[in-house]
Amino acid sequence: MASILATQIDEANTVFGKFIRRNYRDLLLNEPLTSPGLKHIQRQCAAWLSQLSRHAAMIAPHEVLQAIAYYDILHRVTTGKPGTQLVNTQIIRAFSAATDGDTRVDETELMQAIDNGRRMADPLHTSGPHNTWFVATLRKWLTQMQTSDFSISTSATPDRQLNRASIILAQSPALLPGLKEIRKEIASGYLRYCEQTLHADAPTLLAMLRFTGAILSATPALSAIPGHNRVSPLRHSLIGALSSSPTLHPAHRAAFTLDLAALSRAEAV
């Protein structure tokens, strides 16, 4: 029951998240904020938010992080207020399960959820047990990456390793000793993998897009790494690959098709 529910909610989450993305791109083309299209999507989002708030506690801790991935942003778009109360409640459930030994909780997903909270300066995640675990896990990841010479290894799936690298690149160099230089090693090493791996499954393509975005976000600190000038063209290629990926949800493909068209129009100007 819980597993089926999590899958259904995750799919709805993805679809509505991409609908919002598409709609807001329409808004950039001067669609009025009071347009019937936006109001319809807001009603759909409100219904989904209500459904998830009623059923979140029924979802297994190792599945709930995927279910709430878009909850906060959709809550903000729909109500104008953050949805951090529900999100934090579910992160606490997943964190408690993980630290109690439930290995089904995805470490990378939990780190991403906590990192999102840290970016908003949420004290739940910037201090106490969450912060301690977050920093300790970062240290563990860095050790693993150094052991593999900052290249994709067999220790985890490529998408997980790339997502971990993205989280590390987003951290302040002051968080850990030596992180400033290590970030350059990670960016350079994993970028080589991305340039050689355009034909990959959807999770890996998405992780590569996230990773290359993390490199650009960390510029100018990473502007001197080999291949930095090729990151933007690589992202264009990745978006093209995602727009036609047969293993990607149709709503994702539609969103990336719009991204690709927008990039092409920008280049033509």
Side-chain angles (χ1 to χ4, degrees), residues 101-119:
D102 188 345
T103 57
R104 296 174 300 172
V105 178
D106 189 288
E107 182 180 74
T108 308
E109 289 180 2
L110 182 54
M111 283 287 282
Q112 184 63 70
I114 292 175
D115 188 46
N116 290 342
R118 292 169 64 86
R119 289 169 186 253

Side-chain angles (χ1 to χ4, degrees), residues 22-179:
R22 294 212 306 256
N23 190 76
Y24 271 82
R25 179 162 293 114
D26 290 341
L27 291 180
L28 294 177
L29 301 177
N30 298 319
E31 180 181 343
L33 282 171
T34 56
S35 70
L38 177 58
K39 292 297 184 183
H40 175 66
I41 290 175
Q42 286 178 323
R43 286 194 296 271
Q44 288 181 307
C45 289
W48 176 81
L49 291 167
S50 176
Q51 178 191 10
L52 183 55
S53 65
R54 292 195 307 272
H55 298 300
M58 299 171 58
I59 304 173
H62 67 279
E63 296 177 310
V64 75
L65 294 177
Q66 292 184 35
I68 65 171
Y70 285 105
Y71 184 88
D72 183 60
I73 183 62
L74 292 182
H75 196 279
R76 291 172 188 268
V77 167
T78 304
T79 70
K81 301 176 182 178
T84 48
Q85 182 175 350
L86 180 141
V87 169
N88 279 345
T89 298
Q90 301 312 316
I91 293 175
I92 289 170
R93 287 182 62 220
F95 180 81
S96 297
T99 53
D100 284 344
D102 188 345
T103 57
R104 296 174 300 172
V105 178
D106 189 288
E107 182 180 74
T108 308
E109 289 180 2
L110 182 54
M111 283 287 282
Q112 184 63 70
I114 292 175
D115 188 46
N116 290 342
R118 292 169 64 86
R119 289 169 186 253
M120 293 186 286
D122 188 327
L124 174 66
H125 307 299
T126 57
S127 60
H130 287 199
N131 178 66
T132 301
W133 181 83
F134 183 86
V135 175
T137 304
L138 280 182
R139 292 182 188 275
K140 181 180 72 174
W141 287 357
L142 289 171
T143 298
Q144 293 171 344
M145 291 176 178
Q146 287 172 316
T147 301
S148 63
D149 294 325
F150 302 105
S151 59
I152 297 295
S153 67
T154 57
S155 63
T157 59
D159 61 295
R160 277 194 176 90
Q161 293 179 70
L162 287 161
N163 285 332
R164 292 173 182 178
S166 298
I167 292 171
I168 292 172
L169 293 185
Q171 304 310 308
S172 166
L175 183 62
L176 291 171
L179 186 56

